Amino acid sequence: MKLVRNRYKGVVFFGEPGSGKSTAANLLSKKIENSKLLEASLVLKYALCLNRLPKTKEQFITDADDSYKNDFIDREKARKIFLELTRKYSKTIVAESMNAIVDRKYSDRFVIIAGARALDAAKYYKLHNFLVVYLECKNCDLVERLKGRNKSDRGAREEIKHEDDIYQTKKIKKVADLVLDSSELVSESIAREILKYLQEKQVVECKRCINSNLNPAVSFDKKGHCNICQFYLENFDVKALGKEFEEFLKMKNRNEKYDVMVGISGGKDSTAILYTALELGFRPLAFTFDSGYYPGHTFGRAKEVAKKFSVDYQMINIQPYIRDLDRKCYGEMAEMYDEPESLELRQRFLNLYQEGRKHYSIKCKHMMPFVRTCQLCRRTVIRAYYAEALRNKVRVVILGVNEWAGLSGAELGSGKISAIRKLKPYKNKPAVYVVHLPFLLQRTIEDTKKILKNIGWEEPKGEDLVESNSNSCLIALAAETKAKNMLGFHPDTTRLAREVTVGFLTKDEAKRALKKIHTSKHSVRDVLKKARLI
Ligand SMILES: [Zn+2]
């Protein structure tokens, strides 16, 4: 059987002595193509080879290797060095070293680890995307099996108890992904059950976009389309969008100095869109919102772009639009991102990620830590679009974001999927329309590239044409690694997936952007503090 290695790096077996871990691991490795079988004791063997243990844990982990093919070590010797290592470095030193070896040397293989021990190790492996299998076995069967290994009845019982005292083996059952009864099942059946489980958990990607079943909010139809693509394919109506475009052109207002505000970041999409707005005959006021956590270069670049097109430009501080309760959310967010990674935190991230999707409306007063800042930021910016538009006597805000949805402005074109969002928070005040122009024009990245070439725009060094939010938001940048580790998928997957759904990007372009690793010197808390939001 061939396995794609993206949900699980491999399988780790746990169980009491005599539960058949090694036999099952061996058999499983023969059934999986391109798998690599490793024995966790290799870390102990490696340690025994050393004259002196390195000073730091990091050094030990970096150097630990599976090429030290030492002789067999007995359980007693293994326990002794295990205790020494755990005392000196950490409780999970063996698991940490194994994980590092796997990442360093076997990242393209499906790894099967035998001989792993201890509850903390099981949690560590699980947290680092190994499937944790626990082989359960009746005590009398364990004793019989150990007796077959030249132990006396008493010796066997002591062995079992001793192992459980040191490693808390029985408790692993509770954290395991899969518990199998090795009293009942022969190794062949155990391997088969594991393969069945792995097959069920294979990562399935949407046929059209990059959403996958790693995201608990995504579901699929029979044709293999995710729920977002399904909605899009069922409801997209090009005629309605054409009608919307006509309505949009009528929004020009010759009585005021500007008829639209165009949000620009100095990036490719908004630059091309500002150009297009001028081409369409609008008289724009370009602007950039300053929330305190956008990279400093944003404003310089945006200003440059506005200057290039001889368009007036405003940098607008939107902190006055951030409510106290939103600030509290930022505080909770900082606290959550301070937490060390654990299985509990993973569950919290997954729950809050889904919860956050329900609370992004501007009227929402729900207080919670958000996994994705965008959900929280959105509450503020929409409020700011409305107020700033009125302040500048404009009724239309154009964005270079390729967003679409069953937006409330859909009435304009009568289609269910719309590029325009109508904001009308007060009965006695006029409406403001937020127009996602790339979608309205059904623009692809190729179209954008052509425009940029025409106007002589070049992407800044080290940046790609398609980027995740980490490139434009310092909170997203600081949160990226932890969010990705805890969710099991990149937090911007859904955003880029939507652009794939509509054909703006290809799957590969979106995936490349998500694969790019950004490192932040600052924590989420640092960024929020610097922005004076907490
Ligand atoms: Zn899809």
Side-chain angles (χ1 to χ4, degrees):
M1 180 178 155
K2 213 173 161 148
L3 283 170
V4 187
R5 210 198 93 151
N6 37 16
R7 186 190 294 262
Y8 296 113
K9 293 179 184 175
V11 177
V12 192
F13 284 90
F14 286 91
E16 294 184 275
S19 57
K21 307 180 290 270
S22 305
T23 320
N26 249 310
L27 194 63
L28 184 66
S29 76
K30 294 203 179 92
K31 290 184 185 291
I32 297 176
E33 241 177 82
N34 196 33
S35 65
K36 173 76 186 170
L37 179 65
L38 292 172
E39 179 72 37
S41 63
L42 73 88
V43 177
L44 307 179
K45 287 178 184 169
Y46 164 76
L48 285 170
C49 284
L50 302 172
N51 295 326
R52 246 176 69 203
L53 292 176
K55 258 194 188 146
T56 64
K57 180 177 99 172
E58 287 66 34
Q59 196 57 53
F60 182 83
I61 291 174
T62 315
D63 295 347
D65 199 80
D66 63 333
S67 53
Y68 289 78
K69 295 265 183 290
N70 201 333
D71 298 358
F72 169 80
I73 46 168
D74 63 40
R75 278 177 197 265
E76 210 35 61
K77 225 172 165 184
R79 272 174 208 152
K80 226 180 121 204
I81 187 74
F82 174 79
L83 288 175
E84 195 181 336
L85 291 176
T86 46
R87 260 196 298 262
K88 189 173 171 72
Y89 300 125
S90 82
K91 279 202 279 188
T92 50
I93 184 66
V94 175
E96 288 178 66
S97 306
M98 288 300 285
N99 183 48
I101 293 171
V102 170
D103 285 351
R104 199 164 61 229
K105 293 177 77 171
Y106 304 111
S107 63
D108 56 344
R109 310 276 291 269
F110 191 84
V111 178
I112 293 157
I113 298 178
R117 286 182 168 79
L119 175 63
D120 291 312
K123 289 183 186 167
Y124 185 89
Y125 282 118
K126 191 173 174 179
L127 187 60
H128 290 82
N129 304 320
F130 285 90
L131 175 74
V132 172
V133 175
Y134 183 77
L135 297 186
E136 201 176 18
C137 191
K138 282 194 202 104
N139 206 56
C140 53
D141 290 338
L142 293 175
V143 174
E144 280 311 308
R145 288 180 196 171
L146 290 180
K147 272 160 80 180
R149 295 181 197 166
N150 293 328
K151 293 253 179 206
S152 67
D153 190 82
R154 201 176 139 207
R157 285 176 200 281
E158 271 174 8
E159 169 85 40
I160 294 165
K161 186 175 178 313
H162 198 51
E163 282 260 328
D164 196 53
D165 289 345
I166 302 178
Y167 303 120
Q168 297 179 278
T169 313
K170 280 187 190 135
K171 286 189 183 157
I172 297 173
K173 189 180 166 183
K174 280 204 176 130
V175 301
D177 298 287
L178 190 60
V179 178
L180 296 168
D181 188 343
S182 82
S183 286
E184 295 292 326
L185 300 169
V186 291
S187 301
E188 184 69 41
S189 317
I190 289 174
R192 211 180 308 130
E193 286 294 317
I194 296 171
L195 287 175
K196 205 174 105 199
Y197 185 88
L198 286 168
Q199 218 141 26
E200 279 166 17
K201 295 282 177 177
Q202 286 271 50
V203 175
V204 180
E205 191 181 81
C206 173
K207 243 167 92 183
R208 187 178 175 94
C209 76
I210 56 165
N211 278 326
S212 78
N213 58 349
L214 287 172
N215 182 342
V218 169
S219 57
F220 291 95
D221 67 3
K222 283 191 191 126
K223 287 183 194 151
H225 288 130
C226 74
N227 46 324
I228 306 289
C229 288
Q230 225 174 299
F231 178 81
Y232 179 79
L233 292 168
E234 265 169 33
N235 296 299
F236 178 67
D237 176 357
V238 76
K239 268 191 206 148
L241 207 64
K243 227 176 127 198
E244 225 177 76
F245 184 63
E246 283 167 27
E247 291 298 320
F248 165 66
L249 290 178
K250 286 184 205 154
M251 290 175 186
K252 284 177 198 160
N253 176 3
R254 292 292 171 236
N255 303 325
E256 302 291 345
K257 188 171 175 198
Y258 312 113
D259 43 20
V260 288
M261 284 175 77
V262 181
I264 59 170
S265 63
K268 65 170 200 320
D269 296 329
S270 60
T271 302
I273 243 43
L274 178 59
Y275 171 81
T276 304
L278 288 163
E279 288 282 284
L280 292 172
F282 284 98
R283 285 167 306 128
L285 164 65
F287 72 96
T288 312
F289 279 167
D290 180 12
S291 54
Y293 50 77
Y294 295 144
H297 61 72
T298 307
F299 308 103
R301 285 184 196 166
K303 218 170 164 178
E304 264 317 292
V305 169
K307 202 171 141 195
K308 188 177 166 83
F309 294 125
S310 310
V311 167
D312 287 350
Y313 173 77
Q314 282 181 12
M315 184 172 129
I316 303 166
N317 174 19
I318 56 164
Q319 290 217 350
Y321 298 105
I322 300 177
R323 302 168 297 180
D324 281 348
L325 69 101
D326 294 326
R327 279 175 191 270
K328 282 188 186 130
C329 291
Y330 281 114
E332 287 184 24
M333 190 178 168
E335 230 162 79
M336 182 173 74
Y337 272 96
D338 281 344
E339 295 274 330
E341 293 182 8
S342 69
L343 291 174
E344 294 74 26
L345 190 68
R346 170 173 290 174
Q347 203 47 56
R348 201 162 164 231
F349 262 71
L350 283 166
N351 293 343
L352 288 170
Y353 172 80
Q354 296 208 69
E355 188 68 20
R357 298 159 53 88
K358 299 180 205 151
H359 301 287
Y360 61 78
S361 127
I362 50 168
K363 284 177 189 156
C364 185
K365 288 185 178 163
H366 193 78
M367 233 173 3
M368 60 175 276
F370 284 79
V371 171
R372 297 190 68 217
T373 3
C374 300
Q375 292 167 333
L376 178 54
C377 196
R378 199 180 164 284
R379 290 173 166 187
T380 304
V381 294
I382 297 215
R383 227 173 283 126
Y385 289 144
Y386 184 77
E388 291 297 324
L390 290 198
R391 199 169 64 83
N392 287 294
K393 304 196 168 89
V394 163
R395 297 289 170 264
V396 186
V397 177
I398 294 178
L399 301 177
V401 192
N402 197 11
E403 186 52 282
W404 55 275
L407 299 176
S408 52
E411 63 198 63
L412 291 173
S414 77
K416 269 192 185 171
I417 287 177
S418 160
I420 301 178
R421 175 178 293 271
K422 179 181 175 184
L423 305 177
K424 195 173 183 339
Y426 312 106
K427 270 195 181 139
N428 54 346
K429 283 191 186 176
V432 167
Y433 295 91
V434 178
V435 180
H436 302 94
L437 197 48
F439 184 71
L440 188 57
L441 296 169
Q442 290 293 290
R443 184 166 278 180
T444 66
I445 190 148
E446 293 307 320
D447 301 331
T448 300
K449 276 187 201 163
K450 263 183 226 150
I451 293 175
L452 295 175
K453 205 178 157 199
N454 277 344
I455 59 177
W457 185 89
E458 272 171 33
E459 62 230 60
K461 256 199 176 149
E463 287 176 27
D464 296 323
L465 211 48
V466 185
E467 286 271 2
S468 64
N469 294 357
S470 296
N471 198 47
S472 52
C473 168
L474 295 175
I475 301 182
L477 175 66
E480 185 184 81
T481 305
K482 191 167 264 179
K484 207 165 140 186
N485 287 347
M486 291 297 93
L487 293 174
F489 54 93
H490 196 292
D492 297 336
T493 307
T494 44
R495 184 196 45 97
L496 286 165
R498 291 173 81 83
E499 302 198 16
V500 178
T501 301
V502 301
F504 182 68
L505 299 179
T506 65
K507 275 189 176 211
D508 284 344
E509 283 166 330
K511 281 188 194 167
R512 215 175 305 134
L514 294 177
K515 252 199 180 153
K516 191 168 167 185
I517 297 164
H518 302 81
T519 42
S520 170
K521 278 180 244 151
H522 307 285
S523 66
V524 169
R525 180 177 295 280
D526 293 339
V527 175
L528 287 168
K529 258 193 183 158
K530 206 167 163 237
R532 294 172 192 237
L533 286 168
I534 53 170

